[in-house]
Amino acid sequence: MRRIAVLPGDGIGKEVVEASMGVLDAVAENSSFAFSAEYFDAGAERYLSDGSTIHDDELRALSASDAVFLGALGDPRVKPGVLEKGVLIRIRTHLGTYINLRPVRMRPGLCPLRDPRHFDLDFIRENSEDFYMGLGLEADGPGAFGLGSVRDNARIDISMDFSVEPVQPFGFEVGIITRSGAERFADYAFSVARDKGRDKVTLVDKANVCTGIYGLQRKVFEAKSEEYGIDLEYMYVDAMAMALVRAPQRFGVVALPNLFGDVLTDLGAELQGGLGVSPSANVRPGGTGMFEPVHGSAPDIAGKGLANPFAAILAAAMMLSDIGFREEADRVSDAVDACISKGRTTPDLGGKLSTSEAGKAVADEVRASK
Ligand code: ATP
């Protein structure tokens, strides 16, 4: 019996989660997968009624469950960032997830490329280091100053001595990659490659310019490549952007440092057909992962039955795989493809179904697949 913590959240999050739970029910009907769901109502309504985001005892309950399934957070009545920081980031920090997974698979007829060949990519984004550590400052003059950002009780102070005048107001951002951070990132990427029988890992960086952080990262990946007996390929991020549009089928497991991962995973989302079919997960080996669609709460279409539930359903499939039900995960993913092929979709993909009807269509395919 797997325990799933469910946070429907706001807007279309609630609708796509409901549709996904129906698919999980269908999976449970004809497989060894059994689950209990505990619902949490963190989100805009709660924040607007009592000013709270997520409580400590809820965070503990989340980490005690086998997986966290999240719809979307965000509401026009709440200042941007409040729910993202107060709920999403706190959950991620609490769970200690340092890997963001964004699979990108060719879905029937949805790839915008002119003549696509079949591709099946695992984007693995490092999610705790690099240029997204909050180590930045906007400064309006010369002199010595502290960086102003404290992380893990460590304060970094930078002194600057400007001998050339005049000095313009400036800002800077520091990127850091630690050896242990690179090691756990590389371990994750190579173990995915090993488990999926891939013959190489592609590491995306800009080691010709940012030599410090990406130089270290390369050394670590080289050592891991030998340890796992799996080839390592380097791609500069600019060349990778072109290659992904030209020939995504060339790649399999793609390891991306935080900043470049943020950008290229969105390119990946478009390659497979956009927000309506793009799932994501935040994970760490041996820990509770959080699974969610890439899209947000989309207030413009909330409550109208227009939301495409496939991204959330595919996130549920990732969750199944993470908690040990890979075959069931593949069945769900194939069921989504079957619905797309048959035109049993919401209007964004050209179909006529409502959110709940599209969810039921996938559940029916899952039932028929056994
Ligand atoms: P965010 O929370 O990321 O700041 P958002 O919730 O306003 O943004 P996005 O998720 O980025 O919106 O989506 C942008 C637009 O794409 C939405 O306003 C909506 O019109 C459309 N969209 C997003 N997700 C879906 C979906 N699952 N089904 C159909 N349309 C969608």
Side-chain angles (χ1 to χ4, degrees):
M1 175 70 83
R2 297 297 197 275
R3 291 171 58 192
I4 300 174
V6 185
L7 285 91
D10 307 316
I12 65 168
K14 294 191 176 87
E15 300 161 56
V16 298
V17 161
E18 194 182 337
S20 306
M21 297 313 283
V23 174
L24 288 180
D25 285 336
V27 174
E29 278 168 30
N30 60 11
S31 73
S32 60
F33 171 63
F35 74 102
S36 64
E38 187 181 357
Y39 281 77
F40 296 82
D41 65 356
E45 292 302 337
R46 179 198 285 185
Y47 179 76
L48 290 168
S49 74
D50 68 9
S52 71
T53 50
I54 191 158
H55 309 142
D56 289 346
D57 59 327
E58 290 178 313
L59 288 172
R60 282 191 290 275
L62 296 190
S63 51
S65 47
D66 292 297
V68 177
F69 185 49
L70 183 121
L73 290 161
D75 186 295
R77 296 167 296 171
V78 180
K79 222 172 97 192
V82 170
L83 296 168
E84 291 81 349
K85 278 193 192 132
V87 183
L88 266 186
I89 307 278
R90 279 193 70 204
I91 296 176
R92 249 186 242 162
T93 309
H94 183 77
L95 298 179
T97 54
Y98 56 83
I99 294 287
N100 179 239
L101 294 178
R102 297 266 295 259
V104 169
R105 186 202 268 202
M106 187 153 117
R107 304 270 166 203
L110 298 188
C111 178
L113 301 180
R114 193 172 45 213
D115 189 17
R117 286 182 36 205
H118 183 77
F119 55 82
D120 186 1
L121 309 171
D122 284 293
F123 280 114
I124 298 175
R125 170 183 169 194
E126 201 289 326
N127 217 4
S128 68
E129 297 196 325
D130 196 34
F131 286 101
Y132 281 11
M133 298 175 81
L135 297 174
L137 192 72
E138 197 183 332
D140 55 11
F145 50 84
L147 201 53
S149 179
V150 179
R151 195 186 150 80
D152 297 335
N153 298 323
R155 185 179 175 89
I156 299 174
D157 287 299
I158 293 187
S159 300
M160 291 202 166
D161 174 17
F162 294 99
S163 45
V164 184
E165 294 289 347
V167 174
Q168 297 294 319
F170 65 97
F172 68 82
E173 203 71 33
V174 176
I176 292 181
I177 289 180
T178 62
R179 176 171 284 277
S180 61
E183 276 172 353
R184 65 187 191 178
F185 173 34
D187 269 325
Y188 198 92
F190 281 103
S191 52
V192 169
R194 183 190 56 204
D195 294 351
K196 294 202 163 181
R198 307 273 200 185
D199 57 5
K200 71 171 178 190
V201 166
T202 304
L203 175 64
V204 178
D205 64 21
K206 193 71 187 171
N208 51 341
V209 178
C210 304
T211 52
I213 52 176
Y214 301 133
L216 171 76
Q217 187 174 251
R218 281 192 175 200
K219 278 191 202 127
V220 169
F221 269 73
E222 266 159 40
K224 291 290 175 188
S225 165
E226 283 198 15
E227 187 183 318
Y228 284 78
I230 295 172
D231 286 350
L232 172 65
E233 167 190 55
Y234 295 124
M235 287 292 286
Y236 292 134
V237 62
D238 42 351
M240 188 65 180
M242 291 196 285
L244 281 173
V245 174
R246 249 177 222 286
Q249 69 276 5
R250 273 184 52 201
F251 304 100
V253 173
V254 181
L256 298 141
N258 213 342
L259 168 63
F260 300 148
D262 191 9
V263 180
L264 288 189
T265 53
D266 273 13
L267 195 160
E270 281 305 306
L271 283 179
Q272 70 182 340
L275 285 176
V277 291
S278 293
S280 124
N282 292 289
V283 296
R284 95 183 137 84
T288 301
M290 180 168 75
F291 303 82
E292 58 181 320
V294 169
H295 64 74
S297 58
D300 56 330
I301 56 165
K304 297 179 181 160
L306 289 172
N308 183 348
F310 291 173
I313 291 169
L314 292 169
M318 293 178 77
M319 176 170 74
L320 284 171
S321 176
D322 185 73
I323 58 180
F325 294 88
R326 277 205 201 166
E327 195 194 316
E328 287 76 7
D330 288 342
R331 277 172 55 206
V332 171
S333 178
D334 291 347
V336 168
D337 281 353
C339 288
I340 296 170
S341 297
K342 294 174 185 171
R344 302 180 76 193
T345 68
T346 44
D348 58 306
L349 296 185
K352 292 195 170 69
L353 302 186
S354 68
T355 307
S356 61
E357 287 166 346
K360 284 200 190 81
V362 177
D364 287 345
E365 291 289 343
V366 166
R367 287 190 184 96
S369 69
K370 189 85 178 184

